[in-house]
Amino acid sequence: MKIGDSSEQSSTSNPLEGKPLPPIPLFTMFRLGLYQMGLGIMSLLTLGVINRIMIDELKVPALIAAGAIAMHQFVAPARVWFGQMSDTKPLWGYHRSSYVWIGLILFTSASFLAIQVVWQLGASIQANGFNGIAYLWAGLLAFIFAGYGLALSASSTPFTALLFDVSDEDNRSKLISIVWSMLMVGIVIGAIISSKILHRPELCGAAILTENPIATTTNLPELQASVTPLFIIVPLMVIGLSVIATIGIERRFSRYQFRSTVVEREDQITLNRALKILTASPQTGLFFTFLLVMTISLFMQDAVLEPYGGEVFGMCVSETTKLNAFFGTGTLIGIASTGFLMVPRLGKKNTVKIGCVGVSICLIFFIIAGFTANPVFLKGSLLGFGLCSGILTAGAINLMLDLTLAETAGTFIGAWGLAQAMARGLATVLGGAVLDLGRAIFQVPVLAYGTVFTVQAIGMMLAIILLNRVNVREFSENTKRAIANVLEQELD
């Protein structure tokens, strides 16, 4: 091999062995997807079970419950540090796998600790109402969720970097698509598994309000006996799936040692830098505002949907957990069909607008379903909501990629990814806050929850108005210069 012959020094060659590294096969892509499937299953514990128990069974103020849970999303900027750690400080001979496994054990353990604190919070509320001791337990829960988020970042960020390391330009998009789809599959599977484990008919309707609007007569020991096994079985299942997904992958397929360390990945963008990039010009600021409004409006129901099913429809915990299966199925169908059927025929902006309108209509159906108290109507509306969410998500991603310059792709996508994570945390908190506001205004539960869904629908209409002001040509002409100025200022 000649030193100057760049044609033989490809990113996939191994100079130590003189042999090219094998391309990652399709089966291995799906194996890697098992990790994301595990994350989808785990998400059911926080935004499918704990939120329902706190808001509905324990009558914790929705803002406090949602705020505690959202802490795991607000620590998202820490992923920058974990990405840099896995780049520069290998553990046990691995740059990625060791971090993935350590974080995995920590965040699954944190989920078990979280449910134990929930039981202590519930016991305190039943004994003394929502007093100072209950606030301390809620603060401890928020602290544990912050730790959960840090551990999740410590695991998922190196995993994302591993996807970059093991793939090449010609197969990376396929790998990302498969792995992301497996996340939604995990949500569906997790909902089904959780509903089976939680199926305890005797607990249905167990929460009955007393004269004290805060206290409940929920049979806490029975509820604890039903729910706690879920927080043992599911984390062990997720650990097993994640180990199967990643073991041996880095050693066999990673190109990390043979690539430049100056290549910038999306997970290396700080929050401060993300905000500078996303507001670098009027058009980038406008598009960022659209994405922010859209994301908040799409996810405000995250913390209140399961309590809605319990309080308004009288559904058991196992039944409300299963609601996520309808949402996940609809989302998968929406995403899978959008790229092939809608975007080529309608264009990206029109596809996004249709998604926004569809989401708004389904949110109105949520309210109508509440007045009928018909769980089948709610499930059908949720399937449609997932379908429209998939259309909206796929259309927005395609539009974002159109507005992303090749020269700054990693920077711009990273900035959006971090901003989206923070927006989801804000959406969770706002959902709880608006629910508490609705309860203060209305005495009827369906109207209180309907306030959340109405605000979301209005937000979707506002997102359409903002999107109409985005000019693709002006965006392309101005963004490159604006982002270049931001990057130059950072170097000065």
Side-chain angles (χ1 to χ4, degrees), residues 126-408:
Q126 287 194 348
N128 305 303
F130 210 93
N131 60 5
I133 300 298
Y135 277 107
L136 289 176
W137 282 117
L140 178 59
L141 184 63
F143 179 79
I144 290 175
F145 267 111
Y148 175 92
L150 290 172
L152 186 61
S153 293
S155 180
S156 61
T157 302
F159 177 78
T160 303
L162 178 64
L163 297 181
F164 179 89
D165 294 344
V166 302
S167 60
D168 298 306
E169 291 294 335
D170 58 349
N171 62 8
R172 186 167 299 131
S173 60
K174 180 189 294 185
L175 174 61
I176 297 299
S177 297
I178 290 173
V179 169
W180 194 92
S181 297
M182 294 284 277
L183 176 69
M184 301 309 301
V185 172
I187 292 175
V188 175
I189 293 175
I192 296 171
I193 293 173
S194 298
S195 67
K196 296 296 182 183
I197 297 174
L198 292 172
H199 184 59
R200 295 280 297 276
E202 69 272 17
L203 292 178
C204 292
I208 304 171
L209 283 175
T210 64
E211 293 180 1
N212 183 347
I214 296 177
T216 74
T217 59
T218 296
N219 191 322
L220 200 58
E222 283 194 10
L223 186 64
Q224 185 173 350
S226 173
V227 173
T228 298
L230 181 69
F231 283 76
I232 298 173
I233 295 171
V234 167
L236 289 175
M237 183 187 306
V238 170
I239 289 173
L241 286 172
S242 299
V243 171
I244 292 172
T246 55
I247 193 165
I249 297 293
E250 183 174 356
R251 190 175 298 279
R252 184 179 179 191
F253 295 105
S254 178
R255 283 102 163 114
Y256 178 78
Q257 297 292 344
F258 321 121
R259 288 178 172 162
S260 170
T261 58
V262 299
V263 175
E264 188 171 72
R265 298 190 313 272
E266 301 101 75
D267 56 47
Q268 296 175 319
I269 309 300
T270 64
L271 180 61
N272 182 52
R273 192 182 192 196
L275 292 175
K276 286 182 179 179
I277 290 168
L278 293 171
T279 56
S281 71
Q283 280 294 310
T284 57
L286 188 60
F287 187 63
F288 165 63
T289 305
F290 154 73
L291 291 174
L292 185 66
V293 172
M294 183 205 76
T295 301
I296 292 174
S297 302
L298 187 60
F299 292 106
M300 274 181 64
Q301 88 294 332
D302 265 0
V304 304
L305 184 62
E306 286 81 8
Y308 183 52
E311 188 172 349
V312 176
F313 295 83
M315 302 170 71
C316 305
V317 177
S318 60
E319 292 172 332
T320 57
T321 302
K322 198 182 294 184
L323 292 175
N324 292 277
F326 293 92
F327 169 75
T329 300
T331 303
L332 276 173
I333 296 172
I335 290 175
S337 59
T338 300
F340 297 101
L341 300 177
M342 297 188 66
V343 172
R345 292 171 173 80
L346 303 176
K348 299 176 180 66
K349 287 184 72 172
N350 287 334
T351 299
V352 172
K353 292 176 187 177
I354 290 173
C356 288
V357 172
V359 166
S360 298
I361 293 172
C362 291
L363 288 165
I364 300 303
F365 284 160
F366 284 0
I367 302 173
I368 297 173
F371 283 108
T372 67
N374 185 345
V376 176
F377 193 173
L378 177 63
K379 292 172 183 177
S381 301
L382 195 55
L383 182 67
F385 181 79
L387 177 67
C388 295
S389 297
I391 292 171
L392 175 57
T393 300
I397 290 174
N398 276 282
L399 181 60
M400 183 187 70
L401 293 177
D402 264 11
L403 299 175
T404 300
L405 301 171
E407 297 89 340
T408 56

Side-chain angles (χ1 to χ4, degrees), residues 470-486:
V470 175
N471 186 307
V472 177
R473 178 176 297 178
E474 184 181 344
F475 189 103
S476 300
E477 290 174 353
N478 296 340
T479 299
K480 182 177 180 180
R481 181 172 60 255
I483 293 180
N485 289 337
V486 170

